[in-house]
Amino acid sequence: MSEHNVGSMTGRSRLLAAATGQPVDVTPVWFMRQAGRVLPEYRALRERHPFLEVARTPELATEATLMPVDRFGVDGAVLFADIMLPLDGMGVPFRIEPGVGPVIEQPIRTAADVDRIRVVEPEEGTPYVLEALRLLRKELGERAALLGFAGAPWTLACYLVDGRPSREYPQTKALMYGQPDIWHKLMDKLTTTTIAYLRGQIAAGADAVQLFDSWLGLLGPDAYQSYVFPYTQRIFAELRDLAPTIHFSTGTVQLLELIAETRPDLVSVDWRLPLDVAWNRLPPGMGIQGNLDNSLLMAPWSAVEAGTRDILQRAGGKPGHIFNLGHGLLPQTDPDQLRRIVEVVHGSPLG
Ligand code: CP3
């Protein structure tokens, strides 16, 4: 459980210190997709309630969010929700197909489709998300920082335009390259919605927010700069000084400097670059999150431990590192690996 003895800081102050480039007692740690998937107590909850019901019911979302905090003593509690939930407010019906992922009934492909998307405040579109955050902020106290999040406009557009998970998102790219006017209108609406959504989350109690741009690795630097960068930059500009921000993507070694130019407080990187190499490509003072290979957790503990210690050594005790995976936990992960990773990260003296 979470009672293992750590240093002198609380989980919340430790994570927030790292997120603002301040010194910490030991490295803060949390795991992307920690709130579901690998926990037997989550599976039991899911036997009683469908996924979207858990996500849309504040008391149930709170329960799922707290599970990994209680069990592993992580320093961050990521809200149990999904990047697709703002579609409720946009008036775009979707479902989550087990083993497949998000599916949109009527994909967004034309100017008329984009015009129909509603732009609303989260109090109207997703009030249950804000209520869950209010409950969680009270429940958590100083144990852990509360992390809000949103899908980034590019990644949301991939689902909205292609309509379902895909390897290449060809329809999305066809719209982007072929009908830039419609594309920019869509991205503008998604950006405005995302800013309101994240501002609402911060006002409701989120201590920091992460922007998930999961499919960004599909873009080269020119396309990123023309079709996505301005929107990401606008999001971080609008959130600056409200709460620390984390940019997440995977497979983006070709974009790292450009991502840094969107000016989040931290950049979450995957395992495709060693942590120190990635960090050296970010501007001075920018933090980094990562970057254990989520598949390495399938290997025996000795390999996981070596990978964990390697990352800590490459971070070198410098302020501004949050330990995490490079991408979300895989469903077949043994929860005991997570407990042991937290033990090593929290047990490692800095510097
Ligand atoms: O720690 C957490 O689990 C926090 C909550 C969370 C979920 N989704 C819950 C969820 C978070 C942070 C997400 C983000 C999310 N959702 C992303 C970005 C992160 C990433 O991995 O890149 C993306 C791309 C999605 C879209 C999405 N929703 C996918 C790909 C899936 C998985 C489909 C599957 O069956 O594997 C979902 C559904 C989803 N979101 C589940 C959970 C717990 C599974 C639903 C279930 O329990 O059946």
Side-chain angles (χ1 to χ4, degrees):
M1 300 293 280
S2 59
E3 276 74 34
H4 60 272
N5 241 330
V6 195
S8 54
M9 300 175 90
T10 65
R12 186 188 192 197
S13 60
R14 177 178 302 125
L15 191 137
L16 288 177
T20 50
Q22 306 301 311
V24 287
D25 53 354
V26 293
T27 304
V29 50
W30 67 285
F31 302 104
M32 286 183 272
R33 302 295 304 274
Q34 68 188 14
R37 294 200 144 181
V38 307
L39 297 179
E41 53 270 38
Y42 172 73
R43 296 213 183 95
L45 181 71
R46 283 280 283 101
E47 276 176 24
R48 286 176 277 128
H49 308 278
F51 167 67
L52 284 174
E53 184 184 320
V54 180
R56 289 179 179 136
T57 309
E59 291 74 18
L60 298 178
T62 297
E63 192 181 331
T65 302
L66 292 173
M67 285 171 181
V69 182
D70 293 339
R71 194 188 252 260
F72 306 123
V74 281
D75 302 295
V78 61
L79 173 69
F80 187 85
D82 193 80
I83 61 165
M84 303 304 285
L85 293 178
L87 272 62
D88 283 350
M90 295 180 202
V92 179
F94 71 96
R95 61 180 193 277
I96 304 278
E97 237 170 66
V100 177
V103 178
I104 312 286
E105 318 279 330
Q106 290 182 302
I108 304 296
R109 304 265 166 89
T110 66
D113 293 338
V114 174
D115 284 341
R116 270 195 300 276
I117 295 177
R118 303 195 312 139
V119 176
V120 298
E121 290 293 321
E123 288 79 3
E124 181 189 341
T126 46
Y128 49 81
V129 166
L130 305 182
E131 184 54 23
L133 289 167
R134 286 185 205 104
L135 289 174
L136 278 162
R137 189 75 245 51
K138 271 187 249 158
E139 287 279 336
L140 277 169
E142 291 301 309
R143 276 194 292 164
L146 180 54
L147 305 171
F149 71 88
W154 157 257
T155 291
L156 290 177
C158 285
Y159 287 118
L160 286 168
V161 179
D162 267 81
R164 55 198 299 102
S166 150
R167 227 162 52 87
E168 307 270 6
Y169 293 96
Q171 307 269 7
T172 308
K173 285 192 172 180
L175 183 76
M176 181 180 87
Y177 289 124
Q179 296 181 278
D181 291 357
I182 301 179
W183 175 259
H184 285 294
K185 257 183 145 174
L186 173 63
M187 290 295 278
D188 184 61
K189 279 189 155 182
L190 294 174
T191 300
T192 305
T193 304
T194 302
I195 291 165
Y197 187 56
L198 289 175
R199 280 175 170 264
Q201 291 188 33
I202 294 164
D207 294 309
V209 291
Q210 177 157 319
L211 190 70
F212 279 99
D213 217 347
S214 303
W215 312 138
L216 200 50
L218 294 172
L219 296 179
D222 287 349
Y224 179 60
Q225 202 146 23
S226 302
Y227 300 111
V228 176
F229 175 92
Y231 302 99
T232 308
Q233 190 178 46
R234 193 168 117 206
I235 291 170
F236 290 127
E238 294 282 342
L239 299 174
R240 193 152 301 128
D241 304 326
L242 296 180
T245 53
I246 307 170
H247 179 284
F248 167 81
S249 65
T250 172
T252 47
V253 294
Q254 76 281 20
L255 301 179
L256 210 48
E257 286 80 6
L258 286 171
I259 288 169
E261 274 183 51
T262 67
R263 293 192 56 208
D265 293 299
L266 300 96
V267 176
S268 193
V269 295
D270 71 17
W271 52 87
R272 288 174 177 86
L273 287 176
L275 189 89
D276 51 333
V277 175
W279 209 351
N280 281 330
R281 287 176 53 183
L282 302 179
M286 190 169 279
I288 195 162
Q289 174 173 274
N291 69 338
L292 197 66
D293 187 340
N294 53 350
S295 296
L296 176 61
L297 274 62
M298 305 303 122
W301 166 247
S302 58
V304 180
E305 180 178 8
T308 302
R309 292 194 189 282
D310 179 64
I311 290 169
L312 292 171
Q313 197 221 324
R314 289 177 185 279
K318 269 193 301 175
H321 176 225
I322 297 176
F323 192 98
N324 206 321
L325 309 174
H327 201 170
L329 281 169
L330 296 169
Q332 61 271 35
T333 307
D334 176 355
D336 207 50
Q337 300 272 40
L338 304 177
R339 182 187 61 74
R340 294 165 88 168
I341 293 170
V342 174
E343 216 170 75
V344 169
V345 174
H346 280 170
S348 301
L350 292 174

